[in-house]
Amino acid sequence: MKMWEGRFKKALDSRVNDFNSSISFDARMYKEDIEGSVAHVKMLGRCGIIEQKEADLIADTLLSILADLESGTLVPDPEAEDIHMFVEQVLTERIGDTGKRLHTARSRNDQVALDIRMYLKNQNLEIQSLLFRLLSCIAKTAEQNIDTIMPGYTHLQRAQPVTFAHYVLAYAQMFRRDIQRLKEVYEHTNVMPLGSCALAGTTYPIDRDYVARELGFASVTENSLDGVSDRDFVIELAHANAQISMHLSRFSEEIILWCSSEFHFVELDDAFSTGSSIMPQKKNPDIAELVRGKAGRVYGDLITLLTVMKGLPLAYNKDMQEDKEAIFDSIDQVKICLELFTSMLDTLKVRPDVMRQAASGGFINATDCADYLVKNGMPFRSAYKIVGQIVAYCLETGKTFETLSLEEYHSFDPSFDSSVYDAINLEKCVDERKVKGGPSRDSVQKQLQSLKSFIEAK
Ligand code: ARG
């Protein structure tokens, strides 16, 4: 029989029991559930709503239940409806009627809202620290590759030379924004809903601010209807996770391309690649591909949450129980992806020689050649046209900017002199881009410094 048996004459259909139950997935919030109940019962005692010694007994027993769950001597009962009912049931088994006083001035509606906020606050911090680990790994990779020249692309066509340090630091910017986004989500999550009760608060003289302080919340929710029916903070975390996944997916896509024979810019460590069951020569980037694929699933979790919430009238509706599997999956996938991606990046072998070679072949210094003519006094559009003619000539004759003779340059414009070879030198092309945010050694050092300060300030 259920705890609401007073009102009902029949036992629940066993299929309804399974359908309704959430313990198989909400049991992971046991710690938050118990800590929330301890703070609640301490408040009930302090406010004289129940006797102090009963409050103490309940709190101590709850802590012993927590210890038993942590040690594994107690396991959640799959027959219980949810983790909240399970904990209360064990409490009452252990101390009898006194245990039945815990749920005074509380409903499972505000209880579950509290638990999920507490759980997501912790998970948010864990995701942030995984992102910081990834940022440190990027900083290390950048530091080792300040002079590694590679082609930069637009439309996946070789465009202008950059360095591998500059390239990976672009990803660091994305992950820094992800951390900032998570910090904002944390603020929105850090509001304490207990005391909203079922939907309309309570007549008991409770102290919500005390509970908030005990549990480390910055403030309390301002409207009881909203307190039990708001899941914006769940959706916001799912959105932050979707963006992290999108960034990881883009980075994975690059790595997948780079480790193909066509690029061969990098080599994956054996521990982070797999073989083929039929083609002995294969070394596949499965980890990067899976990270790219998981993005679809994490987006799906966000859409699930948005869709579950879109038609719900105030206040609590059982639909909202569907929030958990979606947000838990989103968190689990993002955490495992961040962890594996970071280790994969950490063990990645960079091939500076191949990158340099790829940067040399494709007239990647054409803009610099045009800029050279501009510095000699020519308007940019005219210089652009002449360099276009030189490229066409090179393609016809199988030459490059580096192998053209000075006479050949002269035939296109008399202002060319031997300093053109210096102007189109790739190292020079990169290092002259001293603009803030550019790929020159100095600019990249500044970016790196900024990244390191960001990591230190965490
Ligand atoms: N397991 C429920 C959930 O996750 C807890 C709240 C139940 N409240 C209720 N009124 N049935 O949403």
Side-chain angles (χ1 to χ4, degrees):
M1 266 307 212
K2 290 285 172 191
M3 45 79 64
W4 57 74
E5 59 192 335
R7 164 80 172 74
F8 288 69
K9 301 212 165 55
K10 270 187 174 173
L12 211 53
D13 182 300
S14 67
R15 289 163 308 171
V16 171
N17 199 39
D18 292 346
F19 189 60
N20 202 37
S21 162
S22 57
I23 193 152
S24 63
F25 49 85
D26 66 18
R28 65 159 86 188
M29 302 193 302
Y30 70 89
K31 189 158 180 273
E32 290 76 13
D33 190 73
I34 293 176
E35 285 172 355
S37 289
V38 169
H40 176 68
V41 81
K42 278 165 90 175
M43 181 277 291
L44 292 177
R46 272 168 65 99
C47 295
I49 297 166
I50 68 173
E51 279 186 29
Q52 189 60 51
K53 63 174 197 314
E54 286 191 303
D56 292 343
L57 177 62
I58 294 174
D60 289 347
T61 312
L62 283 169
L63 292 175
S64 74
I65 293 172
L66 177 58
D68 292 348
L69 283 167
E70 306 244 87
S71 70
T73 48
L74 176 67
V75 284
D77 173 7
E79 291 304 308
E81 187 184 330
D82 55 29
I83 189 63
H84 327 292
M85 301 301 269
F86 171 72
V87 171
E88 201 181 321
Q89 187 183 302
V90 177
L91 177 71
T92 309
E93 275 161 25
R94 291 192 181 181
I95 57 173
D97 279 354
T98 302
K100 296 182 183 167
R101 296 196 189 277
L102 168 65
H103 212 53
T104 313
R106 190 175 73 169
S107 153
R108 268 187 303 159
N109 299 350
D110 59 345
Q111 186 178 357
V112 72
L114 174 71
D115 291 5
I116 190 84
R117 282 179 186 265
M118 289 171 70
Y119 184 80
L120 296 192
K121 277 172 67 179
N122 291 331
Q123 294 300 318
N124 183 318
L125 295 177
E126 282 186 27
I127 298 170
Q128 285 189 46
S129 64
L130 286 166
L131 282 164
F132 275 113
R133 214 188 116 224
L134 174 55
L135 285 179
S136 302
C137 176
I138 293 179
K140 193 184 93 185
T141 308
E143 200 135 45
Q144 293 163 351
N145 289 285
I146 293 194
D147 296 317
T148 305
I149 290 185
M150 68 179 286
Y153 300 82
T154 63
H155 313 271
L156 204 56
Q157 306 287 319
R158 289 173 190 165
Q160 288 176 344
V162 293
T163 64
F164 193 56
H166 191 55
Y167 211 103
V168 294
L169 285 170
Y171 280 98
Q173 292 294 328
M174 300 180 214
F175 297 121
R176 282 172 69 164
R177 288 194 291 274
D178 286 330
I179 289 173
Q180 281 156 346
R181 196 171 294 113
L182 283 170
K183 286 187 195 292
E184 279 167 31
V185 175
Y186 189 92
E187 294 310 312
H188 299 167
T189 312
N190 198 13
V191 188
M192 209 288 298
L194 213 63
S196 304
C197 302
L199 73 162
T202 180
T203 55
Y204 291 102
I206 60 173
D207 184 350
R208 299 186 62 207
D209 295 308
Y210 169 82
V211 176
R213 277 196 305 279
E214 275 292 291
L215 295 173
F217 279 90
S219 58
V220 301
T221 53
E222 289 187 19
N223 178 300
S224 63
L225 290 163
D226 184 54
V228 287
S229 63
D230 170 29
R231 292 293 183 273
D232 289 0
F233 57 95
V234 182
I235 293 169
E236 285 177 28
L237 181 61
H239 167 245
N241 283 346
Q243 288 221 252
I244 295 168
S245 303
M246 181 266 285
H247 295 150
L248 285 174
S249 179
R250 292 182 72 178
F251 208 165
S252 295
E253 168 69 12
E254 308 250 30
I255 290 175
I256 293 161
L257 285 173
W258 291 340
C259 68
S260 68
S261 315
E262 281 68 15
F263 278 80
H264 207 215
F265 286 1
V266 299
E267 212 160 291
L268 290 173
D269 192 83
D270 282 356
F272 290 92
S273 28
T274 50
S276 154
S277 58
I278 168 168
M279 298 164 282
Q281 85 284 11
K282 290 290 287 285
K283 186 169 172 184
N284 295 330
D286 287 33
I287 303 305
E289 290 170 286
L290 263 177
V291 170
R292 187 176 59 183
K294 297 271 190 196
R297 177 165 167 182
V298 175
Y299 294 178
D301 292 326
L302 170 62
I303 297 300
T304 298
L305 288 163
L306 285 166
T307 312
V308 163
M309 294 305 292
K310 76 179 268 291
L312 297 188
L314 298 179
Y316 179 85
N317 300 272
K318 191 70 177 222
D319 315 46
M320 288 159 72
Q321 180 167 286
E322 288 292 311
D323 65 351
K324 286 174 206 64
E325 283 163 295
I327 192 62
F328 293 164
D329 184 64
S330 161
I331 291 167
D332 294 347
Q333 301 312 320
V334 163
K335 281 167 73 178
I336 189 73
C337 286
L338 279 169
E339 176 153 0
L340 283 179
F341 187 90
T342 302
S343 301
M344 179 180 70
L345 185 65
D346 199 39
T347 52
L348 190 76
K349 214 174 124 225
V350 178
R351 305 284 312 271
D353 49 330
V354 183
M355 290 187 183
R356 179 71 176 72
Q357 190 56 37
S360 318
F363 307 103
I364 209 166
N365 38 8
T367 318
D368 300 272
C369 189
D371 286 343
Y372 169 85
L373 290 173
V374 171
K375 279 172 197 152
N376 289 350
M378 191 181 287
F380 181 77
R381 271 292 157 241
S382 317
Y384 173 94
K385 191 171 169 200
I386 288 177
V387 174
Q389 289 162 353
I390 301 178
V391 170
Y393 173 78
C394 286
L395 288 173
E396 273 162 30
T397 54
K399 295 186 177 171
T400 68
F401 286 152
E402 288 81 0
T403 57
L404 279 187
S405 70
L406 196 52
E407 288 70 48
E408 286 171 304
Y409 273 115
H410 268 153
S411 68
F412 289 97
D413 188 79
S415 81
F416 276 115
D417 64 33
S418 61
S419 61
V420 66
Y421 296 106
D422 191 35
I424 57 159
N425 169 278
L426 287 188
E427 279 69 21
K428 187 98 191 292
C429 296
V430 169
D431 225 46
E432 284 301 304
R433 290 181 152 71
K434 295 186 196 306
V435 62
K436 236 187 203 177
S440 77
R441 192 164 228 288
D442 279 0
S443 308
V444 167
Q445 289 284 16
K446 285 195 185 98
Q447 288 186 51
L448 201 49
Q449 204 39 58
S450 151
L451 175 58
K452 284 183 183 164
S453 318
F454 182 85
I455 294 171
E456 268 158 36
K458 79 169 169 197

